[in-house]
Amino acid sequence: QVQLVESGGGSVQSGGSLRLSCAASGYTYNNYYMGWFRQAPGKEREGVASIDSVGKTSYADSVKGRFTISQDNAKNTLYLQMNSLKHEDTAMYYCAASSRDYVSWWSLLLHSAYDYWGQGTQVTVSS
């Protein structure tokens, strides 16, 4: 079973940057699809970014060019570098992992494709 713990959230002004981290433990098989999701109050959970076992990345249009997902397999850690933050980025951010051996490209940013979830870390961007 996979355990995921996010960290790095906080409050920043519009235009600022944050780097989120997700520490993974409790597993030996390292070939997981990983993703970052976010949920603002009263809104649906949406996919932000994903990365596969060979490093191929996908991004939501709303964050493309501003956010970067990466992973350090030696440390079992997933990262989300967030630059040029906007007020609209304010949300609880969740790290997720999929137990599927394959996730199609159209499912990579769908929360239903993921089985393991962290507790979330809050990101607040003031306007």
Side-chain angles (χ1 to χ4, degrees):
Q1 188 175 5
V2 176
Q3 183 176 359
L4 305 173
V5 180
E6 303 96 332
S7 62
S11 298
V12 297
Q13 291 188 329
S14 180
S17 298
L18 284 173
R19 189 177 78 156
L20 306 183
S21 298
C22 172
S25 62
Y27 67 94
T28 58
Y29 183 68
N30 209 32
N31 292 329
Y32 287 98
Y33 292 86
M34 304 290 293
W36 286 99
F37 292 76
R38 66 186 183 186
Q39 188 168 23
K43 296 186 177 181
E44 300 286 329
R45 186 170 299 187
E46 63 175 349
V48 174
S50 69
I51 188 167
D52 68 13
S53 60
V54 296
K56 184 176 175 62
T57 58
S58 297
Y59 296 94
D61 289 341
S62 59
V63 307
K64 195 171 298 182
R66 300 187 297 120
F67 291 10
T68 302
I69 187 172
S70 61
Q71 61 189 359
D72 186 337
N73 288 326
K75 297 180 179 179
N76 289 328
T77 303
L78 182 74
Y79 302 98
L80 184 67
Q81 179 66 47
M82 305 185 294
N83 298 326
S84 301
L85 283 163
K86 305 174 180 179
H87 180 65
E88 304 92 273
D89 297 317
T90 296
M92 185 74 74
Y93 282 72
Y94 298 91
C95 174
S98 177
S99 62
R100 298 183 185 184
D101 56 5
Y102 176 74
V103 177
S104 60
W105 67 267
W106 59 88
S107 301
L108 286 169
L109 298 181
L110 299 180
H111 63 82
S112 60
Y114 295 82
D115 307 290
Y116 304 103
W117 296 86
Q119 83 289 350
T121 185
Q122 179 66 40
V123 172
T124 302
V125 184
S126 60
S127 60

